[in-house]
């Protein structure tokens, strides 16, 4: 729909999408800002210095061989399949071209064009704001971006530049680790008889509104040389895009702001762009790309809200100077408190422009539906409902598929959904988790073609899978062991502590144990800090590990344990 008129011509529809996506870059300038925003606190520039290193032929050849041959061609019409097949032959000339780009700070114009696919995020499909533009770049441009990304990431990691509160697009970080950190802090606050207030912040078109001048200054501030900044300046300038769906496409339009979504460098550059978001904020803030949560705790609800409002005001100052636009309609806040009677007649949370932020009892954070009592019942119920709808369709086509085909279908589309975030909600009540067991058993009956009253142990044995509770527990033990090995973000690793040998009992002095913190309530027992230590020490009664072993060896131990526990004793 354009200017309240329905559009039926496909070419015009694609042009409308493209014009909308391109105009998102000027969203900040199109909004009238009536509030006053203070200048951000100046921080000393880092002393690190980054300059590009020329690529070797072997690096380029390796990057070419890692291409996914199933991907389609970009605007350059070069198929990844053929580029990968010819890797050994074209690596040398491409190395020369890539190094020429680094030395001259010039990227071929053809490599700065993109096909954009509109991806519906949800909501009304006639509303263009509900679509996310995903860029498909020329294949050689993506190879170059990948090589640049390796060098830049190595610099960021070795100099510890990225904020520890940022989990997006980082190795060993995930939505699960981010959610566990936030929920641990909230649970510990409640266990400490404090009240917690959390603000779930939504930004409008965050990737598309990145200001190139501000981004270049950010790159300088973290230690990139002027020559390196010059390359990124050229990378960002004179970019064009068109919207392409199937075999139809719009005309190309110039892009003056933002970083391309779907590119390799885009997410990394955005992470650098908002890297200082938590500077000066004394309260808890965590980010996963542009998904931001700000949360505070205090001895009273009123004080927790007051602290949240103060931190929110400070955060809005940073958004303003980054030219990022807050979406006040989708930004929500939630209160976590044992005293629900105290949650009446509270002061509202407002933006600096005076917009009220809605108080909610549920919010979907990083794919997990969080409720203000941390029961996870709403999440589990919606997850079970979604899987039931999928299962009904599967049963309609059951006769068309073999046993192996049915098993592969459930593995790919069912188990991946059940596995996502399962360690986050694993401590929900047995009644809530039973809904997932029911739909899981239905999936097993679909695979095995067994009758509805078949005992679940027979279903497990026929398919060769453990129960969901065993599956969740295995994922949980793996996560804990990764924490012990230091293979998780520092914010999770800091929540566990190896028990000193001097405090071991005589019987267990040769095993690896974790210190279990004291908690007051059942809520405290659900915090990651307590639950991880408690579960691990219980496992050690069985494993009795005297020293740390490799992650692969630990997985084998868990698999053997899972096989042993899977032996049904129901009929003995």
């Amino acid at each position: 729909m354009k200017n309240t008129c329905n559009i039926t011509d496909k070419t015009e529809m694609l042009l409308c999408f493209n014009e909308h996506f391109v105009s998102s870059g000027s969203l900040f300038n199109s909004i009238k800002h009536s509030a006053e925003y203070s200048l951000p606190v100046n921080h000393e520039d880092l002393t690190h210095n980054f300059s590009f290193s020329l690529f070797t032929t072997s690096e380029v050849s390796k990057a070419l061989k890692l291409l996914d041959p199933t991907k389609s061609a970009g605007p350059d019409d070069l198929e990844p399949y053929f580029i990968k097949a010819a890797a050994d032959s074209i690596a040398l000339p491409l190395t020369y071209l890539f190094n020429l780009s680094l030395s001259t700070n010039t990227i071929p114009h053809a490599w700065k064009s993109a096909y954009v696919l509109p991806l519906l995020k949800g909501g009304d499909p006639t509303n263009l704001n509900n679509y996310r533009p995903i860029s498909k770049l020329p294949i050689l441009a993506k190879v170059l971006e990948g090589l640049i990304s390796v060098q830049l990431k190595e610099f960021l990691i070795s100099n510890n530049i990225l904020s520890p509160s940022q989990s997006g697009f980082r190795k060993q970080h995930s939505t699960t680790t981010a959610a566990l950190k936030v929920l641990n802090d909230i649970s510990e606050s409640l266990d400490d008889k404090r009240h917690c207030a959390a603000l779930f912040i939504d930004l409008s078109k965050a990737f598309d509104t990145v200001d190139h001048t501000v981004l270049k200054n950010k790159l300088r501030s973290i230690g990139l040389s002027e020559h390196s900044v010059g390359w990124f300046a050229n990378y960002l300038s004179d970019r064009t895009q068109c919207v392409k769906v199937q075999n139809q496409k719009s005309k190309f339009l110039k892009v003056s702001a933002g970083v391309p979504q779907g590119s390799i460098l885009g997410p990394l550059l955005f992470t650098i762009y908002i890297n200082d978001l938590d500077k000066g904020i004394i309260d808890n803030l965590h980010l996963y790309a542009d998904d931001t949560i700000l949360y505070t705790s205090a001895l009273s609800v009123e004080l927790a809200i007051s602290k949240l409002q103060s931190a929110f005001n400070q955060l809005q100052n940073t958004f303003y100077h980054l030219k990022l636009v807050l979406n006040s309609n989708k930004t929500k806040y939630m209160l976590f408190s044992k005293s629900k009677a105290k949650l009446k007649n509270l002061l509202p949370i407002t933006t600096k422009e005076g917009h009220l932020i809605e108080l909610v009892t549920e919010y979907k954070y990083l794919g997990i539906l969080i409720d203000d009592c941390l029961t996870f019942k709403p999440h589990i119920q919606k997850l079970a409902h979604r899987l039931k709808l999928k299962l009904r369709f599967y049963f309609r086509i059951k006769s068309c598929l073999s046993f192996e085909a049915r098993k592969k279908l459930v593995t790919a589309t069912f188990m991946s959904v059940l596995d996502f975030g399962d360690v986050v909600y694993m401590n929900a009540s047995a009644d809530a988790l039973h809904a997932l067991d029911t739909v899981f058993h239905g999936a097993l009956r679909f695979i095995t073609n067994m009758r509805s009253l078949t005992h679940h142990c027979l279903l497990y044995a026929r398919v060769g899978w453990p129960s969901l509770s065993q599956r969740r527990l295995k994922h949980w033990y793996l996560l804990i062991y990764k924490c012990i090995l230091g293979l998780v973000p520092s914010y999770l690793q800091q929540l566990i502590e190896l028990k000193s040998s001097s405090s071991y009992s005589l019987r267990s002095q040769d095993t690896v144990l974790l210190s279990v913190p004291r908690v007051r309530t059942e809520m405290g027992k659900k915090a990651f800090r307590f639950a991880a230590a408690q579960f691990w020490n219980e496992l050690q009664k069985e494993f009795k590990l005297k020293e740390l072993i490799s992650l692969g060896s630990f997985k084998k131990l868990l698999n053997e344990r899972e096989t042993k526990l899977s032996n049904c004793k129901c009929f003995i």
Side-chain angles (χ1 to χ4, degrees):
M1 184 176 290
K2 182 177 182 181
N3 299 326
T4 70
C5 297
N6 290 326
I7 300 175
T8 56
D9 183 73
K10 291 184 179 180
T11 303
E12 191 175 353
M13 289 172 62
L14 297 181
L15 180 59
C16 285
F17 270 111
N18 203 22
E19 290 175 343
H20 173 74
F21 293 147
V22 170
S23 66
S24 297
S26 58
L27 182 61
F28 177 85
N29 295 326
S30 66
I31 297 175
K32 183 179 180 181
H33 302 277
S34 58
E36 293 185 2
Y37 293 87
S38 59
L39 289 171
V41 178
N42 290 324
H43 305 284
E44 294 184 3
D45 290 349
L46 300 177
T47 57
H48 319 301
N49 188 267
F50 170 84
S51 295
F52 290 121
S53 299
L54 295 180
F55 307 122
T56 64
T57 305
S58 60
E59 288 176 329
V60 174
S61 177
K62 181 180 178 180
L64 294 173
K65 291 177 180 178
L66 290 175
L67 289 173
D68 185 351
T70 64
K71 298 291 185 180
S72 59
D76 55 359
D77 290 328
L78 293 176
E79 296 285 349
Y81 176 86
F82 296 107
I83 297 295
K84 181 175 183 175
D88 292 330
S89 301
I90 63 177
L92 181 61
L94 282 181
T95 302
Y96 174 79
L97 288 176
F98 291 164
N99 287 333
L100 186 63
S101 172
L102 294 184
S103 59
T104 62
N105 280 349
T106 304
I107 302 171
H109 182 72
W111 290 2
K112 294 194 286 185
S113 61
Y115 287 154
V116 173
L117 175 67
L119 184 65
L120 182 64
K121 298 181 291 184
D124 183 5
T126 64
N127 187 344
L128 296 181
N129 289 316
N130 291 332
Y131 288 85
R132 176 184 291 114
I134 302 300
S135 299
K136 176 174 283 295
L137 302 174
I139 189 61
L140 296 182
K142 293 201 72 171
V143 174
L144 176 58
E145 285 192 31
L147 294 167
I148 293 289
S149 176
V150 169
Q151 293 190 15
L152 186 55
K153 282 182 178 179
E154 184 178 340
F155 168 73
L156 296 173
I157 294 171
S158 61
N159 292 288
N160 199 27
I161 292 174
L162 295 181
S163 168
S165 62
Q166 171 63 268
S167 293
F169 313 114
R170 299 179 66 178
K171 189 178 180 180
Q172 299 179 347
H173 294 63
S174 67
T175 55
T176 296
T177 61
L180 284 173
K181 161 61 176 172
V182 171
L183 293 171
N184 174 83
D185 294 347
I186 295 173
S187 298
E188 288 189 330
S189 294
L190 295 176
D191 182 66
D192 200 29
K193 297 182 179 180
R194 299 170 71 86
H195 307 270
C196 189
L199 188 70
F200 300 92
I201 298 169
D202 187 89
L203 297 173
S204 296
K205 313 292 183 183
F207 277 66
D208 302 327
T209 55
V210 168
D211 183 85
H212 292 170
T213 301
V214 175
L215 176 57
K216 286 182 283 187
N217 289 333
K218 286 282 182 180
L219 294 173
R220 291 188 183 94
S221 72
I222 64 172
L224 265 68
S225 66
E226 282 299 324
H227 185 82
S228 301
V229 174
W231 187 90
F232 282 106
N234 187 272
Y235 168 81
L236 295 167
S237 66
D238 299 322
R239 301 194 71 89
T240 58
Q241 69 177 42
C242 80
V243 173
K244 182 180 180 182
V245 178
Q246 295 177 348
N247 293 324
Q248 290 190 306
K249 59 184 179 181
S250 69
K251 67 177 182 180
F252 280 89
L253 296 178
K254 187 175 180 179
V255 181
S256 59
V259 292
Q261 298 188 56
S263 65
I264 296 175
L265 284 176
L268 185 57
L269 291 174
F270 182 80
T271 301
I272 295 171
Y273 191 73
I274 61 171
N275 192 49
D276 292 336
L277 213 58
D278 60 342
K279 293 292 176 65
I281 294 181
I282 60 175
D283 298 291
N284 294 301
L285 181 143
H286 204 95
L287 304 101
Y288 191 92
D290 61 328
D291 284 302
T292 306
I293 182 172
L294 176 67
Y295 52 106
T296 61
S297 65
L299 292 175
S300 70
V301 177
E302 293 77 12
L303 183 56
I305 294 177
S306 176
K307 289 175 63 178
L308 185 64
Q309 180 69 72
S310 178
F312 183 36
N313 290 341
Q314 187 174 349
L315 194 59
Q316 288 178 84
N317 287 332
T318 307
F319 287 151
Y320 179 82
H321 291 284
L322 289 176
K323 298 187 178 182
L324 295 173
V325 179
L326 177 75
N327 188 337
S328 57
N329 292 327
K330 292 186 177 181
T331 297
K332 311 291 181 183
Y333 87 102
M334 189 183 298
L335 292 173
F336 302 90
S337 174
K338 293 182 179 179
S339 305
K340 295 300 179 182
K342 297 181 180 181
L343 303 186
K344 298 179 180 179
N345 302 320
L346 297 174
L347 290 174
I349 298 290
T350 61
T351 69
K352 298 194 75 171
E353 303 288 344
H355 300 294
L356 292 178
I357 301 299
E358 182 185 1
L359 174 65
V360 295
T361 58
E362 299 174 7
Y363 188 87
K364 192 173 186 180
Y365 175 63
L366 301 180
I368 303 291
L369 189 60
I370 298 175
D371 59 283
D372 59 356
C373 295
L374 298 183
T375 65
F376 297 102
K377 285 183 180 179
H379 175 78
I380 293 172
Q381 289 170 355
K382 290 193 176 183
L383 178 60
H385 177 70
R386 180 154 57 101
L387 291 174
K388 281 181 182 177
L389 294 178
K390 186 176 293 188
L391 195 57
R392 288 175 188 172
F393 171 73
Y394 289 171
F395 270 103
R396 295 193 194 107
I397 62 172
K398 180 176 63 173
S399 60
C400 304
L401 304 172
S402 65
F403 173 87
E404 287 301 326
R406 294 195 295 266
K407 187 175 180 179
K408 287 181 180 179
L409 178 63
V410 171
T411 301
T413 65
F414 220 82
M415 301 311 298
S416 57
V417 177
L418 283 170
D419 288 345
F420 177 79
D422 59 353
V423 297
V424 176
Y425 61 79
M426 64 175 290
N427 288 322
S429 67
D431 288 341
L433 291 172
H434 179 69
L436 294 181
D437 289 331
T438 300
V439 73
F440 177 56
H441 295 159
L444 296 182
R445 286 195 298 272
F446 162 73
I447 295 173
T448 60
N449 204 22
M450 289 182 171
R451 298 167 62 180
S452 60
L453 296 179
T454 303
H455 195 274
H456 56 266
C457 288
L458 296 177
L459 295 172
Y460 299 151
R462 178 71 177 89
V463 180
W465 288 349
S467 66
L468 278 186
S469 59
Q470 291 180 22
R471 191 179 180 97
R472 285 191 294 266
L473 203 55
K474 179 182 177 181
H475 297 160
W476 177 239
Y477 286 140
L478 281 173
L479 177 64
I480 298 171
Y481 196 63
K482 286 180 180 179
C483 288
I484 297 174
L485 294 179
L487 301 177
V488 297
S490 58
Y491 56 72
L492 269 194
Q493 190 178 348
Q494 292 167 0
L495 295 179
I496 65 167
E497 180 182 358
L498 287 173
K499 186 182 289 187
S500 61
S501 58
S502 59
S503 63
Y504 283 12
S505 66
L506 188 62
R507 178 180 296 180
S508 62
Q509 62 182 1
D510 292 330
T511 60
V512 180
L513 297 176
L514 297 178
S515 295
V516 182
R518 292 183 179 180
V519 294
R520 301 178 176 87
T521 64
E522 288 300 315
M523 182 62 72
K525 293 180 181 179
K526 295 180 180 180
F528 181 83
R529 190 193 302 271
F530 177 88
Q534 187 80 350
F535 273 80
W536 173 259
N537 291 349
E538 285 295 319
L539 183 67
Q540 275 291 65
K541 293 178 181 178
E542 180 181 341
F543 281 2
K544 297 181 175 60
L545 294 180
K546 297 182 179 181
E547 60 183 7
L548 299 181
I549 59 178
S550 68
L551 184 62
S553 298
F554 184 71
K555 286 181 180 179
K556 289 181 180 178
L557 285 178
L558 289 180
N559 289 335
E560 292 171 1
R561 180 179 185 272
E562 183 179 271
T563 302
K564 188 187 303 182
L565 293 175
S566 295
N567 295 328
C568 177
K569 298 179 178 62
C570 297
F571 305 110
I572 298 177

